[in-house]
Amino acid sequence: MLLKNCLYRRLSLTTFFVIYLVVFARAQDGSSAVLAGFHSSCREKLLNMLPDSSVAVFFSAAPKNMSADVDYPYHQDADFYYLTGYREPSAVLILLKLDYTSAVLFVPPRDTASEIWTGRRMGVEGAKKILGMDTVFSLEKIESYNIDNQYIKHVYIKPLNEYNSGSRVAGDLSKSVMRKFQASGIKPDESLLPSLIPVLRAVKSEEETAWMKRAAAITCDAQKELMRTLDTSMYEYQAQAVVEYVFKSEGAEEPAFPSILGSGENSCILHYESNRKKMQGGELLVADIGAGYRGYAADVTRTMPVNGKFSAEQAAVYNIVLHAQEAGINACRPGVPFGFPGKVAMDSLAAGLKRLGIIRENDELRKYIPHGISHYVGLDVHDAGPADTLRPGNVITVEPGIYIPAGSPCDRKWWNTGVRIEDDILITGAGFEVLSAAAPKDIPSVEALMRKPSRIRGR
Ligand code: GLY
Ligand code: MN
């Protein structure tokens, strides 16, 4: 019995270990293979759109200095990330479409002295292994890299944008790449890539859709926890802490954009992000937040009363925005113009504000909603995408709002009321799917959740 037990134990431990190794190795290998496969398919799609005999050149984003010795956390240029999966600075990607296609990546070599400060870098071998790219060279090789100019008819360069043009490295790289083409007298075109890539990035693949669903699910959990936790003792930055705690604890690496937590008069500031005010009973809080998961953003706004109960005026404005948002969402389907859901929502807002006596004519509406209703979401929270027609695979926001700052030309009982409601909508073949449906938004559901105990504050 004892022996049997021992044997059984040993067997089960060994079995467990073997299973662990197989599953863990698979998961590791699977996820990096999935990533490499995904980025390779993005390059292939772009290469298919380029004319024959062409070369396309991209630069990584430059680091940005915050102050003195401190930089902002590094954020890769979204096109560069899309095409490579590489998240470090000072790199160049060259795509070739000649009588063969090829992707050549130049990255800084590993450098143990600087890695003491920066942490481990990918380097040439790492880039080959992790990104699954065959042709990776050390950055200094770019000067001597020989391109068959005689076969090239078109050179496309993604222009250095305002964010990376300040970098000496990016500037030098760009000059050295340009010199390669000057000899053959080809003038690099800077306009094609910025118009092609948004068309690609706007249609999400299966993998991207899965990552965006996860980003949206985490963001909904953060909204729900905020509703459970919010009370009149809190500062806006404490509401932000609740949200960002949920993001990270559920596996989102970072907020996809600075979290907007604006209460009272700050609910009327569209991109308020200082989040410094103490919140008061009787105020509304606009929480416009988004988790970043695998580089993909969610962007979900809910508006909630700080003390857990909407006043009659707040509820009246809120329900107009909610009704407009639902009308806008129901107008989402493939084949309609990009701006159609927004137009439906705006018409609904105008009718609602007239009913409340806040405006008399449609052209007064812009006073109370100065922003657009929809944008694409993806690697960037305001993602690249064409402004023509909605297609299956697009993810857009529908985010109407009404903002009535103090001093507005209406009854003062409406002043300092800001309401925005925003969801992320996947356009499907049949119509749409709301990725952020899990965060409640009708008044009874919001108030009911606000009566529930906080999970993270222990009461
Ligand atoms: N989430 C901020 C915006 O859409 O502008
Ligand atoms: Mn948005």
Side-chain angles (χ1 to χ4, degrees):
M1 182 66 187
L2 199 63
L3 183 72
K4 208 173 150 199
N5 224 343
C6 249
L7 202 63
Y8 174 75
R9 270 208 177 169
R10 203 176 278 172
L11 259 183
S12 60
L13 263 183
T14 315
T15 316
F16 174 78
F17 189 62
V18 169
I19 291 175
Y20 172 81
L21 272 185
V22 170
V23 171
F24 184 71
R26 278 247 175 102
Q28 290 291 299
D29 180 52
S31 64
S32 92
V34 166
L35 274 179
F38 166 68
H39 295 294
S40 154
S41 73
C42 297
R43 292 192 293 275
E44 198 179 312
K45 283 186 212 158
L46 178 62
L47 280 161
N48 283 338
M49 293 169 91
L50 293 176
D52 288 339
S53 310
S54 58
V55 175
V57 186
F58 299 84
F59 302 95
S60 60
K64 290 180 213 45
N65 184 255
M66 184 188 284
S67 182
D69 287 343
V70 178
D71 283 354
Y72 288 103
Y74 182 70
H75 191 82
Q76 187 57 280
D77 173 78
D79 288 343
F80 201 90
Y81 177 74
Y82 183 73
L83 295 169
T84 61
Y86 190 72
R87 289 181 147 175
E88 297 172 24
S90 307
V92 181
L93 173 70
I94 300 184
L95 298 180
L96 300 160
K97 184 173 181 180
L98 304 173
D99 51 355
Y100 58 91
T101 59
S102 171
V104 185
L105 183 65
F106 294 87
V107 300
R110 292 198 53 204
D111 171 2
T112 33
S114 62
E115 284 184 10
I116 290 173
W117 299 91
T118 61
R120 190 182 166 120
R121 296 298 201 188
M122 221 181 250
V124 172
E125 289 314 310
K128 284 183 189 168
K129 201 163 149 217
I130 298 163
L131 307 179
M133 294 184 70
D134 300 330
T135 317
V136 183
F137 295 120
S138 185
L139 189 62
E140 74 276 2
K141 299 255 166 58
I142 199 158
E143 281 292 353
S144 56
Y145 177 67
N146 194 13
I147 296 179
D148 291 335
N149 276 6
Q150 52 181 334
Y151 301 113
I152 296 172
K153 293 204 189 114
H154 315 277
V155 177
Y156 302 105
I157 297 213
K158 160 100 188 280
L160 294 177
N161 61 30
E162 59 179 305
Y163 300 111
N164 59 20
S165 58
S167 152
R168 194 184 58 75
V169 176
D172 290 352
L173 287 174
S174 135
K175 275 187 218 131
S176 96
V177 171
M178 294 296 199
R179 271 198 298 276
K180 290 189 185 306
F181 303 110
Q182 273 160 1
S184 43
I186 302 170
K187 190 172 170 340
D189 173 297
E190 295 198 348
S191 62
L192 185 74
L193 296 177
S195 66
L196 283 189
I197 294 183
V199 175
L200 286 181
R201 277 180 47 197
V203 177
K204 271 59 182 180
S205 69
E206 224 172 272
E207 299 96 324
E208 288 173 296
T209 308
W211 297 326
M212 293 194 70
K213 284 185 176 176
R214 186 75 197 120
I218 294 171
T219 307
C220 288
D221 282 349
Q223 289 285 9
K224 285 159 72 180
E225 188 52 38
L226 179 59
M227 288 177 194
R228 284 189 289 257
T229 306
L230 185 64
D231 68 30
T232 53
S233 73
M234 290 167 69
Y235 284 80
E236 292 163 339
Y237 56 76
Q238 291 173 314
Q240 177 181 359
V242 172
V243 163
E244 295 180 9
Y245 169 80
V246 175
F247 286 177
K248 296 209 175 188
S249 62
E250 293 197 12
E253 300 90 341
E254 69 265 312
F257 56 91
S259 302
I260 297 170
L261 282 307
S263 62
E265 69 264 30
N266 299 332
S267 65
C268 300
I269 301 173
L270 305 179
H271 278 178
Y272 176 75
E273 55 188 48
S274 49
N275 304 342
R276 285 286 169 273
K277 189 175 94 49
K278 172 108 168 35
M279 295 184 278
Q280 310 287 338
E283 293 179 340
L284 287 178
L285 172 67
V286 169
D288 182 341
I289 59 170
Y293 184 78
R294 300 277 170 100
Y296 284 80
D299 186 10
V300 181
T301 307
R302 292 292 183 265
T303 301
M304 57 200 83
V306 173
N307 62 9
K309 182 100 190 93
F310 287 87
S311 72
E313 287 76 21
Q314 290 167 346
V317 174
Y318 187 94
N319 280 329
I320 283 168
V321 176
L322 182 60
H323 188 72
Q325 202 234 8
E326 283 168 347
I329 291 174
N330 287 322
C332 289
R333 56 183 172 272
V336 300
F338 174 82
F340 181 63
K343 170 153 187 3
V344 169
M346 282 298 232
D347 289 347
S348 173
L349 287 178
L353 285 190
K354 280 186 201 164
R355 266 199 316 277
L356 293 185
I358 294 175
I359 63 170
R360 286 201 197 147
E361 305 296 335
N362 281 10
D363 62 9
E364 293 168 69
L365 181 62
R366 276 289 167 202
K367 258 191 239 141
Y368 298 107
I369 170 155
H371 63 75
I373 302 286
S374 295
H375 57 78
Y376 290 97
V377 197
L379 280 173
D380 286 315
V381 63
H382 287 190
D383 210 36
D388 56 0
T389 305
L390 292 180
R391 295 171 176 81
N394 290 161
V395 182
I396 64 165
T397 62
V398 176
E399 52 174 311
I402 295 289
Y403 314 92
I404 315 178
S408 296
C410 60
D411 191 320
R412 48 195 310 148
K413 71 180 179 181
W414 305 114
W415 288 3
N416 289 326
T417 304
V419 175
R420 177 160 67 255
I421 307 173
E422 172 178 35
D423 282 298
D424 298 344
I425 316 295
L426 170 68
I427 307 299
T428 63
F432 65 86
E433 180 184 343
V434 181
L435 302 185
S436 45
K441 58 184 177 182
D442 63 87
I443 286 183
S445 305
V446 172
E447 290 185 344
L449 190 55
M450 293 187 79
R451 286 192 293 273
K452 294 255 161 43
S454 163
R455 290 187 179 163
I456 63 174
R457 265 203 155 182
R459 67 183 157 68

